[in-house]
Every structure is written in structure tokens, then in C-alpha cells.
Amino acid sequence: IDEELVEVLLNPLLTKGADEVVFDTLSYSAGPLPEQQLSDSTFPSDVPVWVVYGKDDPWTPSGRVENLAKVCNNGDGPVERVVGLEGAGHCPHDEVPERVNELLSEFLDRLDGAN
């Protein structure tokens, strides 16, 4: 491994929009994109969804996550809330578990109150 090899591998990933390509590639290999799942006509519209992500996640573009509520059924879909956590990356449940647990409790209380 030398400086030239590092540049050849790294420079394309630093190109504007590369994070979207990487995200699409990784998501596609694991199945449908979240946008596709949440806006699919078979997804129950009466099931609330909260999306929590780490704002410092190097693999998941924040703008794309923030846009989930708008993309899904033209903003009339199941996504009620999108929460970006400062100081958290790809695994917020590991990095800031107290904040994730707080949100989980709030979500469960919301569900309990809906019954």
C-alpha cells in the first residue's frame, strides 16, 4: 500500500454525490430502499414510523434520511418523525444509547396513548 493506491481508492469516494451512490449500492444489495418500502401500497398506512439516525454517519446521507417523510406518500405516509442525533454515526444505538432509549420510550408511550 502506497500513497498512489490510497489516492486511487479514496478520491472517487470524495466526489460530490458519491455518498448517494454508495448508499444506493449498499441498500440495493440488502433489499429495497427505505423510500420504496415506506411508500409501497402494501405498507400499512396506520402504522406509525419514527426514523432515527446519526448525523455523523459517513455512509447514510443526512439529506436523504430527512427527506423520508416527504418522499413517502407525498408526505402523507407513515413517517411521523425523523430524528437526527448529533454526535452519533452509523450505530446510534451503540454510540448514544441513552438518547436512543429515550426516543424508544417516547415512541412506545405514543403507541400506548393511541390505544
Side-chain angles (χ1 to χ4, degrees), residues 51-55 57 60-63 65-66 82-86 88-89 92:
V51 179
V52 179
Y53 72 99
K55 284 189 171 184
D57 186 339
T60 307
S62 293
V65 179
E66 291 288 337
V82 177
V83 181
L85 300 177
E86 298 287 345

Side-chain angles (χ1 to χ4, degrees), residues 60-110:
T60 307
S62 293
R64 189 162 191 168
V65 179
E66 291 288 337
N67 202 36
L68 277 175
K70 295 178 203 153
V71 171
C72 301
N73 297 328
N74 298 317
D76 192 28
V79 179
E80 291 182 345
R81 188 171 173 193
V82 177
V83 181
L85 300 177
E86 298 287 345
H90 193 66
C91 300
H93 54 284
D94 290 330
E95 299 166 68
V96 289
E98 64 288 339
R99 182 68 181 117
V100 172
N101 289 340
E102 179 183 315
L103 286 164
L104 281 170
S105 292
E106 189 179 336
F107 180 72
L108 293 173
D109 288 344
R110 180 249 179 264

